[in-house]
Every structure is written in structure tokens, then in C-alpha cells.
Amino acid sequence: VQLQASGGGLVQPGGSLRLSCAASGSIFSINYMAWYRQAPRKQRELVASITTGGTTDYADSVKGRFTISRDNAKNTVLLQMNSLAPEDTAVYYCHVEFLDSSRYQRDHWGQGTQVTVSS
């Protein structure tokens, strides 16, 4: 299984970015998709998650600014980030929990994409 993340970059405070993460490989179904982030010298934290049925959850620090969505047909999860602030600077990782082609429950992490918010 591979997770290909894209969309990171440098943006000014108040700007927007959209992250995308596409899953491919021996996947029967994806149950849960999420974005985490890790800032320098800090622990990795959950940013947002979404279930197969579309139930979402957000860290308090991003509520009202970030929106997570998914395209089940394309095994893709998106993170729309608006009103970005310097404290959003981090490496963002996608994470999925899925059933593989043998129906075993597994999870996998993407390689991370850097988001830098700076003037």
C-alpha cells in the first residue's frame, strides 16, 4: 500500500492550502482517514479525521479553519486549510486504517508534506 501526499508549501499568514493524499495498492476498503502534523520539537498530533460514513473530527486549534473530506471512489483524503497561521507550520502526514485484499485490518502512514506559514 502506498500513500501519496501532495499540496504542501510556503504560504503567508491568512492564506490557504489544500493537501491531498491518495491511497493505492492492495486495499479492499478504507475505514478511516486522517491528517496528523508534527512541528519541530513537538509530538505528532491529530489534525482531522473522517470515517467512511463521513463523520469528521477536528483538533480544537483548527476548527472553523480546516475542512477534511474524502473521495471514496478514488481512495483520497483532502484537507482544505484556510486562515493559516504560523503555528500551523509542521510536517503533515496522512494516515489510513483499511482492510487489505485479504480482509486484514491494517494501517499505514504517508511520507509527510511540509507546510510552512510565514511572511
Side-chain angles (χ1 to χ4, degrees):
V1 172
Q2 293 185 336
L3 296 178
Q4 183 64 48
S6 62
L10 173 64
V11 64
Q12 292 186 342
S16 298
L17 284 174
R18 190 175 79 160
L19 304 183
S20 175
C21 179
S24 61
S26 300
I27 298 171
F28 174 73
S29 66
I30 297 178
N31 305 321
Y32 173 89
M33 307 183 86
W35 287 96
Y36 286 73
R37 68 185 179 187
Q38 188 166 17
R41 298 174 298 280
K42 291 188 176 181
Q43 289 188 330
R44 190 173 297 190
E45 63 174 353
L46 176 66
V47 176
S49 66
I50 185 168
T51 66
T52 304
T55 300
T56 58
D57 189 31
Y58 296 92
D60 288 342
S61 59
V62 307
K63 284 181 180 177
R65 301 188 298 123
F66 291 10
T67 302
I68 190 170
S69 61
R70 61 188 285 177
D71 183 334
N72 291 328
K74 296 181 179 179
N75 286 341
T76 297
V77 61
L78 304 173
L79 185 68
Q80 178 66 42
M81 305 185 293
N82 299 327
S83 303
L84 283 161
E87 51 266 36
D88 295 315
T89 295
V91 177
Y92 284 70
Y93 300 89
C94 61
H95 179 248
V96 298
E97 296 178 1
F98 63 98
L99 295 179
D100 66 16
S101 56
S102 298
R103 309 300 191 267
Y104 287 115
Q105 179 78 30
R106 296 178 57 191
D107 74 289
H108 197 71
W109 289 91
Q111 82 279 14
T113 184
Q114 176 70 45
V115 171
T116 302
V117 185
S118 176
S119 55

